């Protein structure tokens, strides 16, 4: 039966696990590139993000599609707002900049990973974002549906 030598075994033991699906939550991401490609109803931009070095999950890549259809203008606005730039900004400008992303865990409905758990970016937020105080009359919900979440807490994902 095969067995790793001591040096290779030590190397394997020390490597960070980049496989699998991350738990849902808010992650800091760095923009690597934005690619334009055709979509079903309108062209798409695929925003390619990576978890920066030094953070848990470093090197993991995420793809976030935004349609150029009129119905999806709000999603494009969300992306530009996360970088703090106007929507007229060339997408090369924010490359290398960081944002926060609300990452979800769901089951792929199509493609080569259909039926498997995958991560998706649900929302992009400015890197310096903290939860804000609720508006008057709003109910604060804690991690298990109870009250008591503080205004500066991250979402309970």
């Amino acid at each position: 039966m095969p067995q790793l030598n001591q040096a290779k075994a030590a190397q394997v033991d020390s490597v960070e696990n980049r496989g699998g699906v991350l738990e849902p939550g808010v992650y800091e991401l760095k923009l690597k590139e934005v690619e334009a490609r055709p979509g079903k109803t309108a062209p798409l931009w695929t925003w390619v993000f990576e978890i920066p070095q030094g953070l848990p999950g470093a090197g993991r890549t995420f793809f976030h599609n935004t349609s150029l259809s009129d119905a999806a203008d709000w999603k494009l606005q969300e992306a530009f707002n996360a970088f703090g730039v106007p929507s007229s900004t060339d997408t090369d400008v924010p490359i290398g900049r960081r944002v926060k992303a609300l990452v979800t865990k769901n089951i792929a409905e199509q493609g080569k990973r259909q039926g498997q758990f995958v991560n998706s970016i649900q929302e992009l937020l400015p890197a310096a974002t903290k939860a804000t105080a609720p508006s008057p009359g709003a109910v604060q919900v804690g991690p298990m549906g109870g009250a008591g979440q503080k205004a500066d807490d991250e979402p309970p994902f």
Side-chain angles (χ1 to χ4, degrees):
M1 295 199 138
Q3 182 176 0
L4 298 176
N5 65 34
Q6 294 286 5
K8 183 65 175 176
Q11 179 183 333
V12 169
D13 289 343
S14 68
V15 83
E16 183 177 336
N17 181 3
R18 291 189 181 180
V21 179
L22 295 175
E23 287 303 312
V26 176
Y27 291 84
E28 187 170 319
L29 304 177
K30 180 174 70 173
L31 183 64
K32 290 176 60 175
E33 66 180 313
V34 181
E35 302 170 346
R37 57 190 181 99
K40 290 181 182 176
T41 59
L44 289 176
W45 286 357
T46 299
W47 304 69
V48 183
F49 292 95
E50 171 180 88
I51 297 178
Q53 293 300 315
L55 297 177
R60 292 290 300 269
T61 301
F62 294 88
F63 300 91
H64 183 63
N65 293 324
T66 53
S67 172
L68 299 186
S69 73
D70 292 345
D73 284 350
W74 66 275
K75 203 65 174 169
L76 278 166
Q77 181 186 50
E78 176 184 281
F80 284 106
N81 286 346
F83 288 104
V85 298
S87 59
S88 60
T89 303
D90 185 309
T91 56
D92 283 346
V93 170
I95 290 178
R97 293 189 189 175
R98 295 181 183 203
V99 295
K100 285 189 179 177
L102 176 58
V103 174
T104 60
K105 179 178 171 182
N106 48 7
I107 297 175
E109 295 180 13
Q110 58 187 0
K112 64 182 179 183
R113 297 199 58 202
Q114 182 176 4
Q116 297 177 18
F117 281 109
V118 294
N119 288 123
S120 302
I121 294 175
Q122 180 175 334
E123 184 177 0
L124 292 173
L125 307 159
T129 298
K130 286 198 175 233
T132 58
S135 58
V139 176
Q140 287 184 318
V141 178
M144 296 302 288
Q149 182 177 0
K150 296 178 186 150
D152 63 348
D153 286 350
E154 293 287 349
F157 304 107

